[in-house]
Amino acid sequence: MALYKFRMGAMLELQQEGYEVIAIAPDDQYSEKIRCKGIRFVTLQLNTHRTNPLGDLLTSAQLYRLYKRFSPCMIFHYTIKPNIYGNIAAFLAGGIPSISMVPGRGYSFHQKNWLFALVRQLYRCSLRFAKEVWFLNEEDRQFFLEQKMVRAHKTAVLPGEGVNIHHYKPKAERSPAPPQQLNFLFSGRLMWEKGVKEFVEAAR
């Protein structure tokens, strides 16, 4: 789903530039939609919500075999497990250049416990092999630098991921009368790290 909804624009742009684009992700109801765009889709067995060392090793082995098979000129990783295991697999497959995109810190960094320490060490190891590491905000970039998970010269902060306004648009134009009082809607999970704190402060 994430590839189709959030990365399709980038994949189609690369395709139009003449590159062959291969999407590697868990199979779901959006896989066929990606194939219909002329993009090769390869299924990856990946559990994004569990910490299973054996399963993660199998994921890394899968990626290694795929990278050796396709021998791409560049690999883009995003989210925590592909960023960690994908970079290591790319290095072992012959030092294939890779770029990691860190869309956020994730739940692993919410508390300084054993999981925090483990993920930090894994990031320190894997990001050494990334050509560049992209962040979506300066706060996350500074956090990774302070924790010595990445070297500053490899990092960059993107101004945003972009939104396809031709796809995500209202179904019908409406011109309601201006309300007497401004109302704001928060649509999201009630998780502190998702911005609930900032929303509550702004509401007050």
Side-chain angles (χ1 to χ4, degrees):
M1 179 183 72
L3 271 181
Y4 181 80
K5 290 193 171 183
F6 306 126
R7 301 291 179 265
M8 182 56 72
M11 291 192 293
L12 291 177
E13 187 71 23
L14 288 169
Q15 189 182 63
Q16 290 172 8
E17 291 290 330
Y19 294 99
E20 179 188 7
V21 180
I22 302 173
I24 302 175
D27 197 13
D28 61 21
Q29 68 269 32
Y30 290 90
S31 305
E32 191 57 35
K33 293 183 178 182
I34 294 175
R35 293 188 183 99
C36 288
K37 297 291 185 179
I39 295 171
R40 188 171 185 175
F41 185 90
V42 178
T43 300
L44 176 70
Q45 301 300 321
L46 174 66
N47 190 323
T48 58
H49 302 295
R50 292 183 181 178
T51 304
N52 183 337
L54 179 59
D56 291 342
L57 285 175
L58 292 175
T59 296
S60 188
Q62 281 184 82
L63 290 173
Y64 169 80
R65 288 193 297 269
L66 290 171
Y67 295 166
K68 289 290 286 186
R69 173 184 168 190
F70 296 121
S71 189
C73 58
M74 177 65 73
I75 302 171
F76 290 90
H77 297 120
Y78 75 99
T79 71
I80 183 169
K81 288 192 175 183
N83 278 338
I84 290 174
Y85 302 111
N87 282 323
I88 295 173
F91 171 76
L92 295 175
I96 302 172
S98 60
I99 293 176
S100 284
M101 208 274 280
V102 182
R105 301 183 203 178
Y107 68 88
S108 305
F109 292 127
H110 295 169
Q111 296 181 353
K112 291 189 175 181
N113 52 18
W114 68 270
L115 183 59
F116 173 93
L118 174 62
V119 173
R120 181 176 58 184
Q121 286 302 118
L122 289 171
Y123 259 134
R124 284 178 178 175
C125 175
S126 65
L127 293 183
R128 290 185 301 162
F129 305 125
K131 182 179 179 65
E132 294 182 10
V133 181
W134 297 347
F135 296 89
L136 294 181
N137 59 73
E138 183 62 29
E139 182 181 0
D140 285 347
R141 175 180 175 272
Q142 287 299 327
F143 178 80
F144 271 64
L145 292 175
E146 291 166 4
Q147 295 295 324
K148 303 186 186 305
M149 291 186 283
V150 64
R151 295 181 180 273
H153 72 274
K154 288 188 174 184
T155 64
V157 177
L158 303 183
E161 293 186 271
V163 175
N164 186 341
I165 60 175
H166 300 292
H167 179 75
Y168 295 101
K169 61 182 180 180
K171 291 184 178 180
E173 296 293 335
R174 295 186 303 169
S175 300
Q180 297 298 317
Q181 176 180 338
L182 289 177
N183 297 306
F184 293 88
L185 174 68
F186 174 83
S187 178
R189 289 180 289 170
L190 292 178
M191 299 171 65
W192 207 245
E193 60 276 4
K194 294 294 184 182
V196 173
K197 174 178 179 291
E198 289 77 9
F199 178 79
V200 170
E201 290 176 350
R204 285 173 176 166

